[in-house]
Amino acid sequence: MTQTKKLVVLGSINADHVLAVPHFVKPGETLAGNGYHIAYGGKGANQAVAAARLGTQTDFIACIGDDTLGTAMKNAFAQDGINTDSIVTIPNEMSGIAMIQVAASGENSIVLAAGANAYLDQAVVDKFADNIAQADALLMQLETPLSGITAAAKIAKANGTQVILNPAPAQSLPDELLAQLDMITPNETEAEILTGIKVNDEASATQAANVFHQKGIATVLITLGAKGVFVSEKSGFRGIIAGFRVQAVDTTAAGDTFNGGLLTALLEGQTLSEAIRFAHGAAAISVTRHGAQPSIPTREETERFLQAQV
């Protein structure tokens, strides 16, 4: 594997404060929880970590607070081989956090505080325009301000950098942004919010993909959970590429691992179907482990898994 192409990831950084509880707390109730721990998360950070661990030269444009957690997370990214020069520290602000209760039923309840993530706007993006212009691909999500995401997409488009958006968490988006995209990777829920079409089979996925194509997006990947990924290329392949069956224990960051793996393989020159298989493999490993970034596999682990599936 030789990797000379560069990926820029733009997005969020969160510290996940996780507590196991017998049931979700009711108003006025004091509940004894256990297993408290802090795990590093945030969709942007997860995708950057996945790409870097899987072998991609990765720059990460993001914001942290001037707190010990932010510093610790930035140091962890550097240890994963990510270029952290474009991670900005916001004075007098906390790093983003997620407060997560995990009930005995397996359900979780999450409250987010954006903190420094709310500062990743056009002004910050403009400082790192050269990083985006010189990259081969730009990967983004929707946990940071749309002004920064749109600005980054325009810089990328103007400089021939491929623009990929994982539109999560789901929200409606302006056509101005969608027109800048080369690829979009929603799940069924996100596809429905963006196109108005309920995706529940290949026919409805085709309809939703056509809406994205009409807005100028050449490649559409709609993730269908256990069914795999529906792929629609404006000028070519259309169909479902199945994933791998594993015993899942925690699906946190599975989608982020998929996106990081997909870009890694595409930048190495793999075909889209080969890249999706590689991404499926990395994501399959991640769901057999707990946590966000702790669950993301290395390149070697992913290749061993894929060889065992042949």
Side-chain angles (χ1 to χ4, degrees):
M1 175 201 71
T2 57
Q3 175 61 276
T4 53
K5 294 197 170 181
K6 189 174 85 170
L7 173 68
V8 169
V9 176
L10 181 142
S12 56
I13 298 174
N14 285 329
D16 296 344
H17 295 256
V18 186
L19 189 63
V21 291
H23 57 261
F24 295 139
V25 67
K26 299 178 181 69
E29 181 182 19
T30 300
L31 199 59
N34 63 77
Y36 171 75
H37 64 278
I38 297 175
Y40 300 160
K43 293 193 71 63
N46 296 342
Q47 292 181 14
V49 167
R53 283 187 193 164
L54 293 167
T56 299
Q57 184 185 335
T58 306
D59 285 9
F60 186 23
I61 301 174
C63 296
I64 53 172
D66 60 353
D67 48 27
T68 54
L69 258 178
T71 305
M73 289 190 286
K74 185 174 177 177
N75 290 340
F77 301 143
Q79 287 174 347
D80 270 316
I82 295 168
N83 175 17
T84 60
D85 293 346
S86 45
I87 296 178
V88 177
T89 302
I90 306 298
N92 306 313
E93 184 55 84
M94 62 170 216
S95 296
I97 60 165
M99 308 297 287
I100 305 175
Q101 294 181 45
V102 182
S105 64
E107 293 178 299
N108 60 21
S109 167
I110 303 173
V111 180
L112 290 173
N117 291 315
Y119 292 78
L120 187 53
D121 58 11
Q122 182 171 353
V124 171
V125 168
D126 285 344
K127 290 179 189 170
F128 303 106
D130 285 350
N131 296 59
I132 297 168
Q134 291 161 18
D136 296 280
L138 169 69
L139 174 60
M140 302 184 289
Q141 328 74 37
L142 297 175
E143 285 184 339
T144 56
L146 270 182
S147 65
I149 292 165
T150 304
K154 287 179 176 177
I155 293 165
K157 193 78 166 176
N159 288 279
T161 300
Q162 293 279 106
V163 187
I164 301 90
L165 179 69
N166 173 225
Q171 59 177 281
S172 58
L173 296 172
D175 286 348
E176 176 195 21
L177 172 58
L178 296 173
Q180 311 296 321
L181 307 181
D182 295 291
M183 181 186 292
I184 194 164
T185 63
N187 64 20
E188 296 137 302
T189 305
E190 292 147 8
E192 181 180 354
I193 285 170
L194 288 168
T195 66
I197 294 162
K198 186 169 182 59
V199 176
N200 48 28
D201 57 18
E202 196 163 341
S204 53
T206 298
Q207 285 181 287
N210 285 338
V211 174
F212 288 124
H213 291 321
Q214 285 159 14
K215 293 182 185 294
I217 305 171
T219 305
V220 179
L221 272 61
I222 303 177
T223 54
L224 305 172
K227 287 178 246 173
V229 174
F230 174 81
V231 181
S232 180
E233 293 181 279
K234 199 168 189 175
S235 58
F237 178 80
R238 183 167 279 187
I240 290 175
I241 297 178
F244 299 104
R245 294 199 177 278
V246 293
Q247 190 63 48
V249 298
D250 184 353
T251 59
T252 306
D256 296 330
T257 302
F258 178 88
N259 278 274
L262 178 73
L263 268 293
T264 295
L266 288 174
L267 288 173
E268 289 170 13
Q270 294 187 37
T271 65
L272 184 57
S273 57
E274 288 168 344
I276 289 171
R277 183 176 187 272
F278 179 81
H280 274 325
I285 295 170
S286 78
V287 302
T288 65
R289 302 169 174 175
H290 289 282
Q293 285 156 42
S295 74
I296 297 170
T298 63
R299 177 71 180 222
E300 292 70 28
E301 289 171 326
T302 304
E303 288 181 340
R304 275 201 307 273
F305 175 87
L306 291 171
Q307 284 162 6
Q309 306 303 314
V310 174

